[in-house]
Amino acid sequence: MTLLELFSVPFMQRALIAAFLVGIAAPAVGTYIVQRRLALMGDGIGHVAVTGVAIGLWTQTSPTWTAVVVAIAGAVTIEVVRERGHAEGDVALAMLFYGGLAGGVFVTGLAGTGASRLQEFLFGSILTISVDDLFVTMALAVVLIVICVGLSPQLFAVSQDADYAKVAGLPVRFYSILVAVLAALSVVIAMRTVGLLLVSALMVVPVAIVQQLTRSFRMTLLGAMGAGLAASVGGLVLAAVLSRTGANVQPGPSIVLVALAGFFLVWPVGAWLRRRRALVAPFPETSPEEKPVDEAHPHHHGEKCGHVAVEHGDHVDYIHDGHRHAAHVGAEGEHYDEH
């Protein structure tokens, strides 16, 4: 069977559609997660979602929807704990992560379901995605993309500087929880593609690739979506090509490795660009208080001399060499009194 014939098979077409949409949606959410310096948040939500999958298997309902409920609950909990900033917050998060993973394995045991069934969600099984799951994935992916692009000014403001966004009148808590919910949904739609244990890579690595080349947030957002699409579809094609040689390579790990390969290919280019920018602008811009100081003395103090000006009664002093100089005109002419 040729590669073209392989992708004409219905299950491969479903896998290609899922990889296409998840590859765009997951990095879109990941851009905001990385901006908030919460790159491992997707990994934590993935651990919690294991319990949701196990509940779905136990109750013989759709694991996707039970995972959605549990993942959103876990994501909101993580955001609340992070927002309150308790000293023991990291310990609480660790307990939540490991509890979610252990709870999922435990509930799976109660359900009498084999470990292989749970493994489909832990490491991905995009080739077995059903038509119903594909429709759910398509719907959620479109919602994620629309929100991430349509609300990008608000989400960027909250992710970049929450204090500034609050002063500007934005409901910071609402948008922060919205980002957490978006992260939970992206974890669920990606669990059949790369698996719950690897989903964070698809959210973060494409963003890291594009950050090597871009300097604006909008270009990073759009570039990450493109890089995620290339990695997702590329990994699926790579797994399909290797399967023709008799290998049994799963698409999930292939997608992650393709993304990592992209990062290591782009990283030298990013390092060269950063070095080039540094050569073009070797010195950072200085604030007015940091203007180069004319230390040649005597000279006329003024707005451009670089010394700090301090109002003193009816005149202005200039801080010079640890003391103040004040211009003074006397019988001997203009000179500086030192305080």
Side-chain angles (χ1 to χ4, degrees), residues 72-217:
I72 290 177
V76 173
T77 303
I78 292 171
E79 176 59 27
V80 171
V81 172
R82 189 198 65 82
E83 182 189 48
R84 294 187 176 183
H86 292 315
E88 65 275 14
D90 58 339
V91 178
L93 293 178
M95 294 173 63
L96 186 65
F97 297 164
Y98 301 133
L101 182 59
V105 176
F106 182 79
V107 174
T108 302
L110 292 178
T113 305
S116 60
R117 184 75 174 103
L118 185 60
Q119 192 172 354
E120 294 179 6
F121 298 90
L122 293 178
F123 298 100
S125 181
I126 193 172
L127 299 180
T128 63
I129 189 170
S130 65
V131 175
D132 293 339
D133 286 341
L134 179 61
F135 282 134
V136 173
T137 299
M138 292 171 61
L140 293 179
V142 171
V143 170
L144 289 176
I145 295 170
V146 169
I147 292 177
C148 288
V149 176
L151 295 179
S152 59
Q154 294 88 341
L155 296 178
F156 169 73
V158 173
S159 301
Q160 175 69 15
D161 190 339
D163 293 333
Y164 173 80
K166 190 173 184 179
V167 172
L170 291 176
V172 174
R173 173 172 291 181
F174 169 77
Y175 284 117
S176 297
I177 292 179
L178 178 60
V179 171
V181 172
L182 294 177
L185 293 178
S186 65
V187 166
V188 173
I189 65 170
M191 70 181 181
R192 297 301 298 267
T193 305
V194 295
L196 292 171
L197 298 183
L198 296 175
V199 64
S200 188
L202 189 57
M203 298 173 69
V204 173
V205 177
V207 181
I209 293 174
V210 179
Q211 282 182 331
Q212 302 299 313
L213 307 175
T214 62
R215 302 182 69 179
S216 71
F217 175 78

Side-chain angles (χ1 to χ4, degrees), residues 35 71 122 134 155 169 188 221 231 239 252 272 290 294:
Q35 195 71 29
L122 293 178
L134 179 61
L155 296 178
V188 173
L221 175 62
W272 177 77
E290 298 171 334
D294 181 7

Side-chain angles (χ1 to χ4, degrees), residues 287-324:
S287 63
E289 293 74 17
E290 298 171 334
K291 290 187 296 185
V293 176
D294 181 7
E295 294 294 354
H297 195 71
H299 70 274
H300 291 286
H301 285 302
E303 295 181 355
K304 298 182 179 179
C305 73
H307 293 102
V308 177
V310 180
E311 291 188 2
H312 186 197
D314 58 350
H315 63 278
V316 177
D317 294 342
Y318 292 89
I319 298 178
H320 183 104
D321 196 22
H323 54 271
R324 294 183 178 184

Side-chain angles (χ1 to χ4, degrees), residues 224-261:
M225 295 165 71
L229 171 63
S232 189
V233 175
L236 179 63
V237 173
L238 176 62
V241 170
L242 293 177
S243 69
R244 298 175 62 204
T245 65
N248 185 22
V249 177
Q250 295 300 314
S254 299
I255 291 171
V256 175
L257 290 176
V258 168
L260 290 173

